[in-house]
Amino acid sequence: FIEQLEHSTGDYAGKPFKLEGWQAFIVWNLFGFLNPDGSRRFTRAYVEVPRKNGKTEFLAALANVEMTVFPKKGGELFWAATKRDQAKIGWNRQAAMMEDLMIKIPSLKKRFKITKTGSKILNLKQRMSSTPLGKDSKREDGHLVQMGLIDEYHAHEDNSMVSILETGMGAFEDPLLVIITTSGYNMASACKHLEDNYKQLLDGQKHNDNVFAMIYELDEGDDWEDERNWYKVNPSLGGALKVQYMKAQYAGVLLEGAAAMLAFKVKNLNIWMNSEITWLSIEQ
């Protein structure tokens, strides 16, 4: 189904959504790993991956899978962010994908409706909707959340939007919360706290069979300047993410110094840092 969708932005706009291997692995787990009663095993997913690996576009594709292939009557999907305008970025991607699909398959026009003014994608038969939600939205509670989507969780001041989504999930047997983010500059953030817990989960120190976590990062002792290690952190590198882009970002580090190095480490190599500005590098 996903590969019937088309990319909504950038150089790939209008081209079929060809899943990268790491994305296909996530799809298989979230939608194909079921409990004996047929409900899905994973009800929360956390994916941490650097920028330009297609996070938002992938999240939009997952939202359309949920609305189209696995609908639940009355279910609501929410894109949650600190600001509603921020949440609309992912919602707009989902809407654009659905619009293109409805052009490709005209019969879908009877089943789906998109209202740009109200920012809603509607599954008319199932009375489902997809809506952007922010802290500044007029309505933050009273939801029937079938699926919650959070892009760039590192930018959230606290876990309040996650809590709002989770408290609205009680009406469904197997709701799904998907958080996709890069690392950030606040080591005391809700996102870093969540990442620390999920690393313990992946290491076997904690247990929760309902959580799916994938965290891309360098291993201890890896040379961050070694191009060969960039592939370890960037699963789309060599595919949708061009090697030339990474080399250009690294060239900026060599030219511009410590501040550019910090941004490269955080946004391109998924290394958490405590500040957006630095005067001297650790090595210096």
Side-chain angles (χ1 to χ4, degrees):
F1 170 82
I2 289 175
E3 296 190 351
Q4 294 296 312
L5 300 173
E6 294 178 355
H7 286 277
S8 64
T9 59
D11 291 341
Y12 286 90
K15 296 180 181 178
F17 196 119
K18 180 68 177 174
L19 285 165
E20 299 278 347
W22 68 279
Q23 294 171 329
F25 179 71
I26 293 172
V27 173
W28 293 335
N29 276 281
L30 296 189
F31 297 105
F33 204 148
L34 305 179
N35 294 313
D37 63 1
S39 61
R40 56 181 153 217
R41 171 184 169 178
F42 297 113
T43 56
R44 181 188 270 214
Y46 178 87
V47 180
E48 194 173 308
V49 65
R51 65 165 49 162
K52 300 298 181 184
N53 280 275
K55 298 188 311 301
T56 308
E57 202 83 349
F58 180 51
L59 208 54
L62 295 184
N64 279 327
V65 168
E66 189 74 3
M67 283 199 79
T68 309
V69 185
F70 301 102
K72 288 190 173 73
K73 194 171 288 287
E76 295 178 316
L77 280 71
F78 289 101
W79 291 82
T82 53
K83 301 284 187 184
R84 190 171 185 271
D85 284 346
Q86 182 70 29
K88 280 189 72 173
I89 293 172
W91 182 89
N92 284 333
R93 302 275 185 96
Q94 183 192 355
M97 283 185 185
M98 182 58 75
E99 277 183 328
D100 291 338
L101 189 65
M102 289 161 69
I103 292 170
K104 185 188 291 187
I105 307 173
S107 61
L108 291 179
K109 293 178 182 178
K110 296 178 182 179
R111 293 178 55 195
F112 293 91
K113 182 179 178 181
I114 299 170
T115 62
K116 292 293 180 66
T117 51
S119 298
K120 282 189 179 294
I121 303 168
L122 301 169
N123 180 325
L124 300 172
K125 184 178 180 181
Q126 301 292 340
R127 301 196 300 277
M128 288 180 64
S129 64
S130 173
T131 315
L133 180 70
K135 265 191 172 183
D136 56 349
S137 299
K138 293 179 181 178
R139 173 176 171 252
E140 286 188 18
D141 51 17
H143 306 304
L144 291 174
V145 183
Q146 176 182 336
M147 186 180 199
L149 306 117
I150 295 181
D151 190 14
E152 300 298 18
Y153 187 41
H154 73 89
H156 288 230
E157 299 169 357
D158 52 40
N159 69 343
S160 58
M161 295 309 293
V162 170
S163 296
I164 287 168
L165 292 176
E166 288 188 324
T167 53
M169 288 180 164
F172 298 103
E173 184 179 4
D174 54 356
L176 179 60
L177 174 64
V178 184
I179 299 171
I180 294 187
T181 187
T182 60
S183 61
Y185 296 99
N186 183 359
M187 300 285 283
S189 66
C191 184
K192 185 64 174 75
H193 177 71
L194 197 63
E195 187 221 48
D196 290 341
N197 278 299
Y198 287 165
K199 280 185 178 180
Q200 293 180 336
L201 190 74
L202 292 169
D203 289 338
Q205 299 170 31
K206 291 185 176 181
H207 301 279
N208 187 329
D209 282 345
N210 301 120
V211 173
F212 175 86
M214 281 180 74
I215 300 171
Y216 286 93
E217 64 176 5
L218 295 173
D219 287 312
E220 190 174 347
D222 282 345
D223 179 2
W224 66 271
E225 295 184 275
D226 187 338
E227 182 183 323
R228 292 171 296 180
N229 288 328
W230 297 349
Y231 289 86
K232 186 183 293 186
V233 193
N234 292 278
S236 294
L237 188 56
L241 175 58
K242 304 305 179 188
V243 176
Q244 197 56 41
Y245 167 81
M246 287 292 290
K247 288 183 175 179
Q249 296 299 302
Y250 178 66
V253 172
L254 300 179
L255 180 65
E256 298 169 30
M261 176 193 69
L262 200 64
F264 182 76
K265 284 184 173 182
V266 172
K267 296 305 175 188
N268 298 109
L269 294 178
N270 236 20
I271 300 171
W272 281 85
M273 294 288 186
N274 243 337
S275 172
E276 294 189 44
I277 301 169
T278 187
W279 180 49
L280 291 172
S281 70
I282 296 298
E283 292 80 7
Q284 289 168 323

